[in-house]
Amino acid sequence: NAGVTQTPKFQVLKTGQSMTLQCAQDMNHNSMYWYRQDPGMGLRLIYYSASEGTTDKGEVPNGYNVSRLNKREFSLRLESAAPSQTSVYFCASSDGLFQPQHFGDGTRLSIL
Amino acid sequence: RKEVEQDPGPFNVPEGATVAFNCTYSNSASQSFFWYRQDCRKEPKLLMSVYSSGNEDGRFTAQLNRASQYISLLIRDSKLSDSATYLCVVNLGTGNQFYFGTGTSLTVIP
């Protein structure tokens, strides 16, 4: 039972490069989320998708875009990476907006 | 003011001890509450939901005090495997209002 799967697990980018973080869930959940976690800051919501076909901004959306490709998949794109985007990124899913979230094991991203 | 505040600790307790964490939240409209556990360099994992009447799961007890706007987690008979960071989570009922505390670090010492 895979749950929430994120790829890649680690990535190093140069400033200005672009990349897409992939997330897929096999729990038939409606809602999906992207967070970043920085030391001393806690988890902060970047974007979320309440259901297939919808996406909305979270607390820190600047510099990111998302795509809810289908019910299973929710990708996060950095168009022009900046050192301030160095972080650990977590994807999560839930059955609904009031329900607890289940997390993938994260992507550690460093931008030089 | 942060939406959710936790004492970062660290809490260092001997095996078998009882330890309690509190978490305060600022918005009285908060709808749902959870405790997560996060091990070093791992993802957060749901420990338990917190219900208005309080709830227990084995050695873990969670309580909600809406009047004072805090939730608590009590761990009895601490085990070495309980060493982790505990995150409280508050949801205001909309998708973009799911707030995580910065976590409380617990180390259980043999």
Side-chain angles (χ1 to χ4, degrees):
Chain A
N1 187 0
V4 179
T5 303
Q6 291 183 235
T7 56
K9 296 199 185 315
F10 303 93
Q11 185 71 49
V12 179
L13 294 177
K14 294 181 180 178
T15 297
Q17 287 186 314
S18 62
M19 82 161 292
T20 300
L21 308 185
Q22 307 288 351
C23 175
Q25 51 93 8
D26 63 3
M27 295 176 283
N28 202 36
H29 283 166
N30 290 310
S31 304
M32 297 185 74
Y33 312 80
W34 276 105
Y35 290 90
R36 61 178 289 173
Q37 187 174 33
D38 303 292
M41 298 289 289
L43 282 142
R44 292 182 293 168
L45 184 66
I46 304 171
Y47 271 93
Y48 73 103
S49 171
S51 60
E52 186 179 357
T54 69
T55 60
D56 284 287
K57 294 178 180 179
E59 182 184 353
V60 289
N62 291 343
Y64 306 94
N65 286 301
V66 290
S67 295
R68 183 76 183 265
L69 304 170
N70 47 54
K71 191 171 186 179
R72 290 187 63 247
E73 298 173 287
F74 188 37
S75 62
L76 177 72
R77 182 162 179 83
L78 287 70
E79 290 291 351
S80 178
S84 61
Q85 294 177 304
T86 293
S87 189
V88 181
Y89 290 85
F90 288 104
C91 177
S93 71
S94 68
D95 209 17
L97 294 178
F98 291 92
Q99 302 304 313
Q101 298 174 1
H102 301 267
F103 286 81
D105 54 9
T107 296
R108 283 162 178 75
L109 181 62
S110 293
I111 298 157
L112 307 177
Chain B
R1 183 181 176 187
K2 290 183 180 179
E3 293 287 344
V4 178
E5 299 213 45
Q6 292 183 251
D7 180 348
F11 285 69
N12 299 314
V13 302
E15 261 186 298
T18 296
V19 61
F21 310 134
N22 282 341
C23 169
T24 59
Y25 60 95
S26 61
N27 195 320
S28 60
S30 299
Q31 296 286 330
S32 53
F33 308 87
F34 309 95
W35 282 102
Y36 279 73
R37 145 186 195 137
Q38 186 172 26
D39 294 291
C40 187
R41 298 182 67 79
K42 299 287 189 180
E43 75 276 20
K45 291 184 178 177
L46 178 67
L47 181 65
M48 57 197 304
S49 302
V50 186
Y51 302 119
S52 296
S53 55
N55 49 298
E56 191 173 301
D57 182 2
R59 297 181 293 108
F60 299 85
T61 301
Q63 292 194 313
L64 167 64
N65 185 317
R66 283 194 182 272
S68 300
Q69 295 184 202
Y70 74 85
I71 62 173
S72 63
L73 177 68
L74 182 78
I75 305 175
R76 292 182 300 279
D77 189 23
S78 298
K79 311 291 185 191
L80 297 177
S81 57
D82 294 334
S83 298
T85 296
Y86 290 83
L87 309 174
C88 71
V89 183
V90 172
N91 179 271
L92 269 64
T94 62
N96 63 345
Q97 292 180 303
F98 215 101
Y99 293 103
F100 284 75
T102 53
T104 298
S105 173
L106 172 67
T107 301
V108 181
I109 303 163

